[in-house]
Amino acid sequence: MKILFLTHSFNSLAQRLFIELTRRDHEVSIEFDINDAVTHQAVELFQPDLIIAPFLKRAIPETIWRQYTCLILHPGIIGDRGPSALDWAIMHNQQEWGVTVLQANADMDAGDIWATENFPMRFARKSSLYRHEVVEAATHAMLTAVTRFQSATFQPMPLDYARSDVHGRLHAPIRQIDRCIDWQHDNTLLILRKIHAADGFPGVLDTLFGEPYYLFDACMEEHLSGQPGTLIAKRNHAVCRATVDGALWIGHLKHKQDTQSTFKLAAILALQDHLAEVPEIPDDPFCKQSGMTYRDIWFEEKNEVGYLHFDFYNGAMDTTQCKRLRDIYLTITRSAVRVIVLMGGADFWSNGIHLNHIEQAASPADESWRNINAMNDLAQAIITTDRQLTVAALQGNAGAGGVFLSLAADYIYARDSVILNPHYKSMGNLYGSEYWTYLLPRRVSKSHVQSLIQNRLPIDATDARNLGLIDECFAVNSEEFANKIRQTAESLAKRPDFSALLQQKTHQRELDERLKPLQSYRDEELRQMQLNFYGFDPSYHVARYHFVHKIPHSWTPRYLAKHRRL
Ligand code: COA
């Protein structure tokens, strides 16, 4: 079938559906929801059999839903209506939630039901629930709905609140007043719930040092306490704020300014002028933690395997994070472990250099340069590891430089539902570094190198495995994935031919080095990056500005809008 996606952006859910439907031989074209005229034009040009809205913020024009079946993905259980579906589900501490595929009609979210899928809720950030449970359930539900549509016999179910299996209801949009934190009364769990329910977007509006800030990226602190509402500690990127019954960490803030567009920054950067008196309470990444606290890098060791976790918010890695991670990595290489597993974070493995912190810097070009060099130093340390075998374990998605960083490891495994974006070009024709010109051709054919880099399309773990980009993918569930990774890494460490494997790897590295030194790859890539950062063409700086400030799309790129290519 010809399927048109009408979507606010090509987000992780839209990407996953695009991959799954394309794999099932559907021809999928994408149009961003810009205005009704553009939508009409897209429908006219593509003449789809079916329209799917994976992530829409506006209603579909009546002239379109009357003529075409339009399936809308609503992140709520049957009967749930209105925006802020997930926000309310978290605020109300729902134990089970779901997604529903509805047919667009005159009433928002009240159309006939084509499919639905429920899942148990986790106490987690909205953005994390969206990227895991919602994407997974939505994929199943949408594939079911598409199959039902194709059957041409299925009758979707009208929404009927009298039915005993309809538990949802209409919700008003959630407001900041509903999210408001009372630091003198709310306990830590309640505050965490409020911040989790707003994570990703829009954050909880609060006041710090007399200024309005949106709060994001919160986690529990089990040891510190102080005067409720005051900042009692700082660590790496985060600040710790006391509550009536303990404390919590806040990793990211967005300054609310009425006259100027702002964006999320690490709390420590956003508040830098105010934190001189706040004590730094460092964390030892090698120390086994008792109790919950904020850590963005930590290490665990078991049965001669070392697991290095780097859970950076949104997978973005700034200069200091890359340097810290490299230092810790190098310390591990000097230890007795035989295998090092690079775990990344639970939601993202890595999305490359930190575009927000670059945007914020006094000279974004200089900061881009520092950041990419710090990433390269990290990649180089992994590539040249000669005492251990290394494994990249992709629990979450990876994009741009993050994907290429993972290729620095000897073995790459991904969770089944991971999506990879192994390309840089969408960021204003960025050339990219992280030794990708060495690492990518080691794994995939010449023609696939070209198609991955040029087409700018996402691929899933299965496709990545089939191309040879990664070694294997398994387990949808994060826990299952972690177990399988543990087994795989431990068997690698115990292999009778471990020394031979290590020798083979170092020998291959020597051969590669003789053929073309790593430094030459780096120099060539950085010459191109220098043009991106300091050259006459400002495309990278413009694209980064648009990305960081979330400027709405004014057109759909041709590589997504097939119907506009002719
Ligand atoms: N730097 C800073 N923030 C980043 C980031 C980066 N490199 N990559 C992603 N993010 C942020 C997004 O702004 C978004 O922020 P939000 O929490 O305010 O919504 C969040 O991470 C999630 O990203 P989103 O784009 O919504 O996720 P996605 O799964 O739909 O798309 C990517 C994933 C990787 C395709 C997309 O985020 C992307 O293109 N990132 C930029 C990658 C890049 O060019 N890196 C620099 C070159 S190495």
Side-chain angles (χ1 to χ4, degrees):
M1 285 195 300
K2 285 167 80 176
I3 301 178
L4 180 68
F5 276 16
L6 195 54
T7 186
H8 177 74
S9 71
F10 196 37
N11 72 349
S12 51
L13 171 55
Q15 294 187 8
R16 174 79 187 276
L17 290 174
F18 171 81
I19 291 165
E20 298 283 357
L21 290 166
T22 307
R23 178 170 295 141
R24 286 162 179 77
D25 289 331
H26 297 296
E27 188 189 350
V28 183
S29 191
I30 295 155
E31 185 72 39
F32 290 150
D33 181 36
I34 290 157
N35 59 42
D36 288 357
V38 170
T39 305
H40 276 114
Q41 199 183 45
V43 172
E44 195 68 21
L45 285 169
F46 194 51
Q47 301 281 322
D49 300 304
L50 176 68
I51 296 177
I52 289 181
F55 169 43
L56 210 51
K57 294 190 175 177
R58 290 178 342 120
I60 295 178
E62 180 171 351
T63 41
I64 291 180
W65 60 255
R66 284 215 182 273
Q67 209 185 337
Y68 294 88
T69 301
C70 301
L71 299 181
I72 312 249
L73 219 140
H74 178 72
I77 53 173
I78 293 185
D80 181 83
R81 294 181 58 199
S84 338
L86 259 182
D87 310 47
W88 280 124
I90 299 169
M91 291 290 269
H92 291 152
N93 198 16
Q94 298 283 0
Q95 297 304 297
E96 190 181 62
W97 200 240
V99 297
T100 307
V101 178
L102 308 155
Q103 183 162 345
N105 68 7
D107 296 321
M108 195 78 162
D109 301 332
D112 292 355
I113 295 150
W114 281 80
T116 188
E117 187 95 16
N118 284 9
F119 51 83
M121 282 286 265
R122 245 181 331 130
F123 186 66
R125 298 168 188 172
K126 178 176 65 167
S127 49
S128 179
L129 285 166
Y130 187 84
R131 289 193 180 103
H132 293 270
E133 283 83 347
V134 171
V135 166
E136 213 52 52
T139 305
H140 285 136
M142 190 53 89
L143 291 175
T144 305
V146 169
T147 310
R148 287 175 174 170
F149 176 79
Q150 264 184 307
S151 79
T153 55
F154 181 78
Q155 284 299 318
M157 182 184 91
L159 176 60
D160 176 4
Y161 282 103
R163 286 180 60 132
S164 61
D165 57 346
V166 177
H167 303 297
R169 61 186 172 92
L170 175 66
H171 287 293
I174 193 166
R175 302 156 305 167
Q176 281 297 341
I177 190 99
D178 302 311
R179 305 186 192 266
C180 180
I181 297 171
D182 179 347
W183 291 93
Q184 304 310 316
H185 292 99
D186 291 353
N187 66 23
T188 311
L189 264 183
L190 179 58
I191 301 174
L192 270 179
R193 172 161 298 127
K194 287 180 177 178
I195 302 178
H196 282 351
D199 206 280
F201 180 82
V204 175
L205 188 57
D206 198 37
T207 307
L208 280 157
F209 303 103
E211 290 285 318
Y213 286 95
Y214 295 98
L215 315 182
F216 303 90
D217 180 21
C219 81
M220 172 83 97
E221 165 59 47
E222 280 189 336
H223 298 298
L224 304 173
S225 59
Q227 186 70 26
T230 57
L231 294 189
I232 52 172
K234 59 187 178 199
R235 174 181 301 156
N236 300 328
H237 277 8
V239 290
C240 185
R241 200 164 180 188
T243 60
V244 286
D245 59 345
L248 51 79
W249 292 90
I250 298 165
H252 280 76
L253 299 173
K254 181 175 149 185
H255 199 179
K256 180 176 187 284
Q257 286 190 359
D258 294 330
T259 51
Q260 207 181 325
S261 153
T262 56
F263 48 90
K264 276 181 209 171
L265 290 173
I268 213 93
L269 276 182
L271 299 174
Q272 54 187 343
D273 298 338
H274 303 283
L275 299 179
E277 305 296 311
V278 177
E280 171 97 38
I281 305 214
D283 169 63
D284 178 358
F286 293 98
C287 174
K288 219 176 174 170
Q289 267 303 326
S290 63
M292 291 168 81
T293 189
Y294 158 76
R295 348 174 65 179
D296 56 358
I297 304 177
W298 71 100
F299 177 73
E300 299 166 304
E301 186 186 332
K302 200 174 172 198
N303 298 334
E304 298 183 297
V305 179
Y307 300 89
L308 180 56
H309 299 261
F310 40 105
D311 200 353
F312 301 135
Y313 189 64
N314 284 338
M317 300 170 67
D318 75 9
T319 308
T320 57
Q321 287 167 322
C322 293
K323 287 185 173 172
R324 265 196 298 128
L325 186 55
R326 178 175 178 270
D327 288 347
I328 294 167
Y329 180 82
L330 288 176
T331 308
I332 299 165
T333 59
R334 292 189 287 269
S335 76
V337 295
R338 285 155 75 91
V339 175
I340 301 176
V341 186
L342 301 160
M343 296 294 290
D347 290 345
F348 289 104
W349 197 82
S350 166
N351 278 330
I353 56 176
H354 201 311
L355 299 168
N356 290 33
H357 288 180
I358 288 171
E359 188 66 30
Q360 172 71 6
S363 163
D366 289 350
E367 187 49 36
S368 302
W369 184 254
R370 279 191 287 270
N371 203 161
I372 196 65
N373 273 289
M375 275 293 266
N376 283 354
D377 291 343
L378 172 63
Q380 193 242 6
I382 301 168
I383 297 168
T384 56
T385 303
D386 55 7
R387 295 186 56 236
Q388 286 88 8
L389 293 176
T390 55
V391 174
L394 278 63
Q395 316 172 62
N397 296 349
V403 179
F404 300 108
L405 181 69
S406 74
L407 304 190
D410 303 320
Y411 304 91
I412 306 149
Y413 303 114
R415 203 163 51 80
D416 269 338
S417 34
V418 153
I419 303 279
L420 304 174
N421 276 279
H423 48 84
Y424 299 91
K425 255 188 120 177
S426 330
M427 197 51 64
N429 267 328
L430 196 66
Y431 185 80
S433 193
E434 288 99 0
Y435 300 91
W436 75 265
T437 52
Y438 168 61
L439 297 170
L440 190 56
R442 275 204 319 186
R443 291 200 149 254
V444 306
S445 70
K446 216 172 177 175
S447 65
H448 284 132
V449 168
Q450 278 311 308
S451 59
L452 286 172
I453 292 291
Q454 299 298 335
N455 293 351
R456 306 179 229 186
L457 290 174
I459 57 170
D460 70 356
T462 308
D463 285 340
R465 194 252 337 262
N466 294 344
L467 286 178
L469 187 70
I470 66 171
D471 293 285
E472 198 45 89
C473 55
F474 35 77
V476 168
N477 177 291
S478 303
E479 225 167 278
E480 251 176 72
F481 179 73
N483 284 338
K484 187 85 195 280
I485 282 292
R486 204 166 303 127
Q487 286 163 14
T488 310
E490 286 188 9
S491 0
L492 198 55
K494 280 197 210 105
R495 268 175 71 148
D497 59 347
F498 180 86
S499 301
L501 279 177
L502 200 57
Q503 219 167 27
Q504 201 180 321
K505 156 178 152 163
T506 46
H507 180 60
Q508 185 61 49
R509 179 81 278 288
E510 280 162 20
L511 289 180
D512 290 353
E513 188 66 21
R514 250 179 271 149
L515 212 59
K516 180 170 172 176
L518 265 187
Q519 189 60 39
S520 304
Y521 289 98
R522 180 170 175 152
D523 291 344
E524 284 167 15
E525 290 168 5
L526 287 181
R527 262 198 293 282
Q528 299 293 328
M529 290 293 257
Q530 215 164 10
L531 292 175
N532 290 134
F533 301 158
Y534 297 103
F536 290 117
D537 178 359
S539 300
Y540 157 70
H541 297 292
V542 173
R544 189 194 61 242
Y545 179 89
H546 280 237
F547 180 82
V548 166
H549 287 272
K550 305 199 184 301
I551 309 286
H553 301 284
S554 49
W555 52 283
T556 311
R558 294 288 184 273
Y559 66 91
L560 298 178
K562 281 189 186 151
H563 51 280
R564 294 188 182 277
R565 280 188 207 156
L566 292 176

